[in-house]
Amino acid sequence: RKQMPPPERPVAYETVVDGKPLVRGQAVRVRGEQGAFVFQYVWLPDGSLTLYGGLHGHGTWRSVQPERVRHVKRSEVLREDDDAS
């Protein structure tokens, strides 16, 4: 699911958490929450992350501070320098 913020809200679709880049659509695990969540956007005024996910079949929206992210799953998207040769 995609939740688009209203156009006037200051958001970004990429950020860095624990030194790791986080882009829209990338999965994360959150301390205190069950299941995996998908990053949607970061709310710039306070830096909170808007995520969707949780237990399978019971997905919910969450807004969490970056400090609660315990694991950023590796993106499945290959960068040009990652191509196998």
Side-chain angles (χ1 to χ4, degrees), residues 31-72:
R31 285 184 188 93
E33 301 286 345
Q34 293 182 330
F37 290 82
V38 177
F39 171 68
Q40 299 297 317
Y41 57 87
V42 58
W43 173 246
L44 294 176
D46 68 359
S48 64
L49 306 176
T50 299
L51 313 168
Y52 182 81
L55 292 176
H56 182 68
H58 300 281
T60 59
W61 290 98
R62 291 284 188 259
S63 180
V64 301
Q65 290 299 314
E67 299 80 33
R68 289 190 56 202
V69 172
R70 66 178 177 166
H71 179 70
V72 175

Short mmCIF file of all heavy atoms in Angstrom, two decimals, residues 31-72:
data_model
loop_
_atom_site.label_atom_id
_atom_site.label_comp_id
_atom_site.label_asym_id
_atom_site.label_seq_id
_atom_site.Cartn_x
_atom_site.Cartn_y
_atom_site.Cartn_z
N ARG A 31 12.07 -2.02 16.69
CA ARG A 31 12.05 -2.44 18.10
C ARG A 31 10.66 -2.22 18.68
O ARG A 31 10.06 -1.17 18.49
CB ARG A 31 13.05 -1.63 18.91
CG ARG A 31 14.47 -2.02 18.69
CD ARG A 31 15.43 -1.24 19.60
NE ARG A 31 16.80 -1.52 19.21
CZ ARG A 31 17.48 -0.78 18.34
NH1 ARG A 31 16.95 0.29 17.81
NH2 ARG A 31 18.72 -1.11 18.02
N GLY A 32 10.14 -3.24 19.39
CA GLY A 32 8.84 -3.12 20.03
C GLY A 32 7.67 -3.43 19.12
O GLY A 32 6.52 -3.35 19.56
N GLU A 33 7.92 -3.80 17.87
CA GLU A 33 6.85 -4.13 16.92
C GLU A 33 7.14 -5.50 16.32
O GLU A 33 8.29 -5.87 16.12
CB GLU A 33 6.77 -3.10 15.79
CG GLU A 33 6.51 -1.69 16.24
CD GLU A 33 5.07 -1.45 16.71
OE1 GLU A 33 4.20 -2.29 16.43
OE2 GLU A 33 4.85 -0.43 17.35
N GLN A 34 6.09 -6.25 16.02
CA GLN A 34 6.25 -7.56 15.39
C GLN A 34 6.13 -7.43 13.89
O GLN A 34 5.36 -6.62 13.38
CB GLN A 34 5.20 -8.53 15.92
CG GLN A 34 5.38 -8.85 17.38
CD GLN A 34 4.33 -9.85 17.86
OE1 GLN A 34 3.23 -9.89 17.35
NE2 GLN A 34 4.71 -10.66 18.83
N GLY A 35 6.88 -8.23 13.17
CA GLY A 35 6.81 -8.26 11.72
C GLY A 35 7.74 -7.24 11.08
O GLY A 35 8.45 -6.49 11.74
N ALA A 36 7.72 -7.24 9.77
CA ALA A 36 8.54 -6.31 8.99
C ALA A 36 7.68 -5.16 8.50
O ALA A 36 6.47 -5.31 8.30
CB ALA A 36 9.17 -7.04 7.81
N PHE A 37 8.31 -4.02 8.29
CA PHE A 37 7.62 -2.82 7.83
C PHE A 37 8.32 -2.30 6.58
O PHE A 37 9.52 -2.50 6.41
CB PHE A 37 7.63 -1.74 8.91
CG PHE A 37 6.75 -2.06 10.08
CD1 PHE A 37 7.19 -2.89 11.08
CD2 PHE A 37 5.47 -1.53 10.16
CE1 PHE A 37 6.38 -3.20 12.15
CE2 PHE A 37 4.66 -1.84 11.22
CZ PHE A 37 5.11 -2.67 12.23
N VAL A 38 7.58 -1.63 5.72
CA VAL A 38 8.12 -1.06 4.50
C VAL A 38 8.18 0.46 4.66
O VAL A 38 7.17 1.10 5.00
CB VAL A 38 7.26 -1.44 3.28
CG1 VAL A 38 7.79 -0.77 2.01
CG2 VAL A 38 7.22 -2.95 3.11
N PHE A 39 9.36 1.02 4.43
CA PHE A 39 9.57 2.46 4.56
C PHE A 39 8.80 3.19 3.46
O PHE A 39 8.89 2.83 2.29
CB PHE A 39 11.06 2.78 4.46
CG PHE A 39 11.38 4.24 4.37
CD1 PHE A 39 11.15 5.08 5.44
CD2 PHE A 39 11.90 4.78 3.21
CE1 PHE A 39 11.44 6.44 5.36
CE2 PHE A 39 12.20 6.13 3.11
CZ PHE A 39 11.96 6.96 4.19
N GLN A 40 8.06 4.25 3.85
CA GLN A 40 7.30 5.06 2.89
C GLN A 40 7.94 6.44 2.71
O GLN A 40 8.23 6.84 1.61
CB GLN A 40 5.85 5.22 3.35
CG GLN A 40 5.12 3.90 3.46
CD GLN A 40 4.99 3.18 2.13
OE1 GLN A 40 4.70 3.79 1.11
NE2 GLN A 40 5.22 1.88 2.13
N TYR A 41 8.13 7.16 3.82
CA TYR A 41 8.76 8.48 3.75
C TYR A 41 9.17 8.94 5.14
O TYR A 41 8.76 8.37 6.14
CB TYR A 41 7.84 9.52 3.08
CG TYR A 41 6.49 9.71 3.73
CD1 TYR A 41 6.31 10.61 4.78
CD2 TYR A 41 5.39 9.01 3.28
CE1 TYR A 41 5.08 10.79 5.36
CE2 TYR A 41 4.15 9.19 3.85
CZ TYR A 41 3.99 10.08 4.89
OH TYR A 41 2.76 10.26 5.48
N VAL A 42 10.02 9.97 5.18
CA VAL A 42 10.46 10.56 6.45
C VAL A 42 9.83 11.95 6.53
O VAL A 42 9.85 12.72 5.57
CB VAL A 42 12.00 10.60 6.58
CG1 VAL A 42 12.64 11.37 5.47
CG2 VAL A 42 12.42 11.17 7.92
N TRP A 43 9.23 12.23 7.67
CA TRP A 43 8.61 13.52 7.95
C TRP A 43 9.73 14.46 8.41
O TRP A 43 10.33 14.25 9.45
CB TRP A 43 7.55 13.33 9.01
CG TRP A 43 6.90 14.55 9.55
CD1 TRP A 43 6.99 15.02 10.84
CD2 TRP A 43 6.02 15.45 8.88
NE1 TRP A 43 6.24 16.15 10.98
CE2 TRP A 43 5.64 16.44 9.80
CE3 TRP A 43 5.55 15.52 7.58
CZ2 TRP A 43 4.79 17.49 9.46
CZ3 TRP A 43 4.71 16.56 7.24
CH2 TRP A 43 4.34 17.52 8.18
N LEU A 44 10.06 15.45 7.60
CA LEU A 44 11.24 16.27 7.83
C LEU A 44 11.23 17.11 9.11
O LEU A 44 12.27 17.25 9.75
CB LEU A 44 11.52 17.15 6.62
CG LEU A 44 11.92 16.37 5.36
CD1 LEU A 44 12.09 17.30 4.18
CD2 LEU A 44 13.17 15.56 5.58
N PRO A 45 10.09 17.69 9.54
CA PRO A 45 10.16 18.51 10.76
C PRO A 45 10.70 17.78 11.99
O PRO A 45 11.46 18.34 12.75
CB PRO A 45 8.71 18.95 10.97
CG PRO A 45 8.13 18.97 9.60
CD PRO A 45 8.78 17.81 8.89
N ASP A 46 10.32 16.51 12.19
CA ASP A 46 10.82 15.80 13.37
C ASP A 46 11.65 14.57 13.03
O ASP A 46 12.17 13.90 13.92
CB ASP A 46 9.67 15.43 14.31
CG ASP A 46 8.74 14.37 13.74
OD1 ASP A 46 8.96 13.92 12.60
OD2 ASP A 46 7.80 13.99 14.45
N GLY A 47 11.80 14.23 11.76
CA GLY A 47 12.63 13.09 11.36
C GLY A 47 11.98 11.73 11.53
O GLY A 47 12.65 10.72 11.37
N SER A 48 10.68 11.67 11.86
CA SER A 48 10.03 10.38 12.06
C SER A 48 9.83 9.67 10.72
O SER A 48 9.64 10.29 9.68
CB SER A 48 8.69 10.56 12.77
OG SER A 48 7.79 11.31 11.98
N LEU A 49 9.88 8.35 10.78
CA LEU A 49 9.72 7.51 9.59
C LEU A 49 8.28 7.02 9.52
O LEU A 49 7.74 6.56 10.52
CB LEU A 49 10.66 6.30 9.66
CG LEU A 49 12.13 6.58 9.90
CD1 LEU A 49 12.89 5.27 10.03
CD2 LEU A 49 12.70 7.42 8.79
N THR A 50 7.68 7.09 8.37
CA THR A 50 6.34 6.54 8.17
C THR A 50 6.51 5.19 7.48
O THR A 50 7.16 5.09 6.44
CB THR A 50 5.47 7.48 7.33
OG1 THR A 50 5.34 8.71 8.03
CG2 THR A 50 4.09 6.89 7.08
N LEU A 51 5.95 4.15 8.11
CA LEU A 51 6.12 2.77 7.67
C LEU A 51 4.77 2.09 7.54
O LEU A 51 3.81 2.48 8.20
CB LEU A 51 6.95 1.98 8.69
CG LEU A 51 8.23 2.62 9.21
CD1 LEU A 51 8.75 1.83 10.41
CD2 LEU A 51 9.27 2.67 8.12
N TYR A 52 4.70 1.05 6.72
CA TYR A 52 3.51 0.21 6.64
C TYR A 52 3.95 -1.24 6.76
O TYR A 52 4.91 -1.67 6.13
CB TYR A 52 2.76 0.40 5.31
CG TYR A 52 1.51 -0.43 5.27
CD1 TYR A 52 0.35 0.02 5.88
CD2 TYR A 52 1.49 -1.69 4.67
CE1 TYR A 52 -0.80 -0.75 5.89
CE2 TYR A 52 0.35 -2.46 4.68
CZ TYR A 52 -0.79 -1.99 5.29
OH TYR A 52 -1.93 -2.76 5.31
N GLY A 53 3.22 -2.01 7.58
CA GLY A 53 3.54 -3.42 7.70
C GLY A 53 3.13 -3.97 9.05
O GLY A 53 2.19 -3.49 9.67
N GLY A 54 3.86 -4.97 9.51
CA GLY A 54 3.54 -5.65 10.76
C GLY A 54 3.36 -7.13 10.50
O GLY A 54 3.93 -7.69 9.56
N LEU A 55 2.51 -7.74 11.30
CA LEU A 55 2.25 -9.17 11.13
C LEU A 55 1.48 -9.42 9.85
O LEU A 55 0.64 -8.61 9.44
CB LEU A 55 1.44 -9.70 12.32
CG LEU A 55 2.18 -9.73 13.66
CD1 LEU A 55 1.25 -10.19 14.77
CD2 LEU A 55 3.38 -10.64 13.57
N HIS A 56 1.77 -10.53 9.20
CA HIS A 56 1.12 -10.89 7.94
C HIS A 56 -0.40 -10.89 8.11
O HIS A 56 -0.93 -11.50 9.04
CB HIS A 56 1.60 -12.26 7.49
CG HIS A 56 1.01 -12.69 6.18
ND1 HIS A 56 1.33 -12.07 5.00
CD2 HIS A 56 0.10 -13.64 5.88
CE1 HIS A 56 0.66 -12.64 4.02
NE2 HIS A 56 -0.09 -13.60 4.54
N GLY A 57 -1.08 -10.17 7.26
CA GLY A 57 -2.54 -10.11 7.32
C GLY A 57 -3.08 -9.04 8.25
O GLY A 57 -4.29 -8.84 8.33
N HIS A 58 -2.20 -8.37 8.97
CA HIS A 58 -2.62 -7.34 9.93
C HIS A 58 -1.78 -6.09 9.77
O HIS A 58 -1.34 -5.49 10.75
CB HIS A 58 -2.51 -7.86 11.37
CG HIS A 58 -3.35 -9.06 11.63
ND1 HIS A 58 -4.70 -8.98 11.86
CD2 HIS A 58 -3.04 -10.38 11.63
CE1 HIS A 58 -5.19 -10.21 12.03
NE2 HIS A 58 -4.20 -11.07 11.90
N GLY A 59 -1.53 -5.68 8.54
CA GLY A 59 -0.68 -4.52 8.28
C GLY A 59 -1.28 -3.23 8.82
O GLY A 59 -2.49 -3.03 8.76
N THR A 60 -0.42 -2.38 9.37
CA THR A 60 -0.85 -1.09 9.90
C THR A 60 0.21 -0.04 9.58
O THR A 60 1.35 -0.35 9.28
CB THR A 60 -1.03 -1.14 11.44
OG1 THR A 60 0.20 -1.53 12.02
CG2 THR A 60 -2.12 -2.10 11.84
N TRP A 61 -0.20 1.20 9.65
CA TRP A 61 0.71 2.33 9.48
C TRP A 61 1.35 2.65 10.82
O TRP A 61 0.69 2.60 11.85
CB TRP A 61 -0.05 3.55 8.97
CG TRP A 61 -0.51 3.38 7.57
CD1 TRP A 61 -1.75 2.99 7.16
CD2 TRP A 61 0.27 3.56 6.38
NE1 TRP A 61 -1.79 2.91 5.79
CE2 TRP A 61 -0.58 3.26 5.28
CE3 TRP A 61 1.58 3.93 6.14
CZ2 TRP A 61 -0.13 3.34 3.98
CZ3 TRP A 61 2.01 4.01 4.83
CH2 TRP A 61 1.17 3.71 3.76
N ARG A 62 2.64 2.95 10.80
CA ARG A 62 3.37 3.33 11.99
C ARG A 62 4.24 4.54 11.68
O ARG A 62 4.80 4.65 10.59
CB ARG A 62 4.29 2.21 12.48
CG ARG A 62 3.58 1.01 13.03
CD ARG A 62 3.05 1.32 14.44
NE ARG A 62 2.52 0.14 15.06
CZ ARG A 62 1.23 -0.14 15.13
NH1 ARG A 62 0.35 0.66 14.60
NH2 ARG A 62 0.83 -1.24 15.73
N SER A 63 4.36 5.42 12.64
CA SER A 63 5.29 6.54 12.56
C SER A 63 6.26 6.35 13.72
O SER A 63 5.85 6.37 14.88
CB SER A 63 4.53 7.86 12.69
OG SER A 63 5.43 8.93 12.62
N VAL A 64 7.53 6.12 13.42
CA VAL A 64 8.52 5.82 14.46
C VAL A 64 9.75 6.70 14.28
O VAL A 64 10.05 7.16 13.18
CB VAL A 64 8.94 4.33 14.44
CG1 VAL A 64 7.74 3.42 14.63
CG2 VAL A 64 9.66 3.97 13.16
N GLN A 65 10.45 6.90 15.37
CA GLN A 65 11.72 7.62 15.32
C GLN A 65 12.79 6.66 14.78
O GLN A 65 12.73 5.45 15.01
CB GLN A 65 12.12 8.12 16.71
CG GLN A 65 11.23 9.25 17.21
CD GLN A 65 11.29 10.46 16.29
OE1 GLN A 65 12.35 10.89 15.88
NE2 GLN A 65 10.12 11.00 15.95
N PRO A 66 13.78 7.19 14.05
CA PRO A 66 14.81 6.32 13.46
C PRO A 66 15.54 5.45 14.48
O PRO A 66 16.00 4.36 14.14
CB PRO A 66 15.78 7.31 12.81
CG PRO A 66 14.99 8.54 12.58
CD PRO A 66 13.96 8.59 13.67
N GLU A 67 15.63 5.89 15.72
CA GLU A 67 16.34 5.11 16.76
C GLU A 67 15.66 3.77 17.03
O GLU A 67 16.26 2.85 17.56
CB GLU A 67 16.41 5.89 18.08
CG GLU A 67 17.16 7.19 17.99
CD GLU A 67 16.33 8.34 17.40
OE1 GLU A 67 15.10 8.40 17.60
OE2 GLU A 67 16.92 9.17 16.70
N ARG A 68 14.37 3.63 16.69
CA ARG A 68 13.64 2.38 16.92
C ARG A 68 13.88 1.35 15.83
O ARG A 68 13.52 0.19 15.99
CB ARG A 68 12.14 2.65 17.06
CG ARG A 68 11.81 3.35 18.37
CD ARG A 68 10.33 3.40 18.63
NE ARG A 68 9.72 2.09 18.61
CZ ARG A 68 8.42 1.89 18.40
NH1 ARG A 68 7.62 2.91 18.18
NH2 ARG A 68 7.92 0.68 18.39
N VAL A 69 14.48 1.75 14.72
CA VAL A 69 14.76 0.79 13.64
C VAL A 69 15.94 -0.07 14.08
O VAL A 69 17.01 0.43 14.40
CB VAL A 69 15.08 1.52 12.32
CG1 VAL A 69 15.55 0.54 11.27
CG2 VAL A 69 13.85 2.29 11.83
N ARG A 70 15.73 -1.39 14.11
CA ARG A 70 16.80 -2.28 14.56
C ARG A 70 17.50 -2.98 13.42
O ARG A 70 18.59 -3.51 13.59
CB ARG A 70 16.28 -3.31 15.56
CG ARG A 70 15.30 -4.29 14.98
CD ARG A 70 14.86 -5.30 16.01
NE ARG A 70 13.86 -6.18 15.38
CZ ARG A 70 13.48 -7.31 15.88
NH1 ARG A 70 13.98 -7.73 17.02
NH2 ARG A 70 12.59 -8.04 15.27
N HIS A 71 16.87 -3.01 12.24
CA HIS A 71 17.50 -3.70 11.11
C HIS A 71 16.95 -3.14 9.81
O HIS A 71 15.74 -3.06 9.63
CB HIS A 71 17.21 -5.20 11.19
CG HIS A 71 17.80 -5.99 10.06
ND1 HIS A 71 19.15 -6.20 9.92
CD2 HIS A 71 17.23 -6.61 9.01
CE1 HIS A 71 19.37 -6.92 8.85
NE2 HIS A 71 18.21 -7.18 8.26
N VAL A 72 17.85 -2.76 8.92
CA VAL A 72 17.47 -2.33 7.57
C VAL A 72 17.82 -3.48 6.65
O VAL A 72 18.97 -3.87 6.55
CB VAL A 72 18.23 -1.05 7.14
CG1 VAL A 72 17.90 -0.71 5.69
CG2 VAL A 72 17.91 0.11 8.07
#
